[in-house]
Amino acid sequence: EEILDAYKETVESMYSAYDDVKYYDYNVSLDGDTLTSTAKINYAKIDADAMIEVNSANSSLFTDGKVTLTAIETLYKAMGATCE
C-alpha cells in the first residue's frame, strides 16, 4: 500500500504543472490495489501557449495553435494508451 501511495503522489506531481491550464482536468485515484489516472482535455478550447509553457514537448501537438487528431493518437498510442 505504501508503494501505491507513493506512486499516486508521483503521478499527481506530474500532472500538477497543468493545474492552471483551463480545459485540462485530471484525477488520480487509489482504490485498494488499483491506481487509476484519468485526464480530460478539451483540445478544441485549450490554450496552446499554456500547454507549451508547461512542457515545450507539447508543441509537437499543435499546428497553427490547433491540435490534430493524428498528433494526439500518435502520442497516446506511443504511451500505450487505447484510443477510441
Side-chain angles (χ1 to χ4, degrees):
E1 190 172 311
E2 276 185 42
I3 293 172
L4 281 177
D5 286 337
Y7 191 64
K8 181 178 184 272
E9 287 180 26
T10 299
V11 173
E12 288 173 331
S13 173
M14 290 174 10
Y15 283 115
S16 68
Y18 294 92
D19 282 349
D20 295 328
V21 178
K22 284 185 175 183
Y23 308 110
Y24 191 109
D25 298 308
Y26 67 91
N27 184 51
V28 182
S29 61
L30 188 56
D31 184 16
D33 63 352
T34 302
L35 184 131
T36 304
S37 173
T38 57
K40 292 183 181 183
I41 307 164
N42 186 334
Y43 288 108
K45 294 183 177 181
I46 203 157
D47 181 353
D49 291 334
M51 288 285 288
I52 294 166
E53 185 176 322
V54 169
N55 184 340
S56 61
N58 286 330
S59 65
S60 66
L61 301 174
F62 296 92
T63 302
D64 297 325
K66 304 282 184 192
V67 176
T68 65
L69 180 59
T70 302
I72 292 298
E73 285 181 337
T74 300
L75 171 68
Y76 287 149
K77 286 179 181 179
M79 294 187 310
T82 301
C83 299
E84 298 178 2

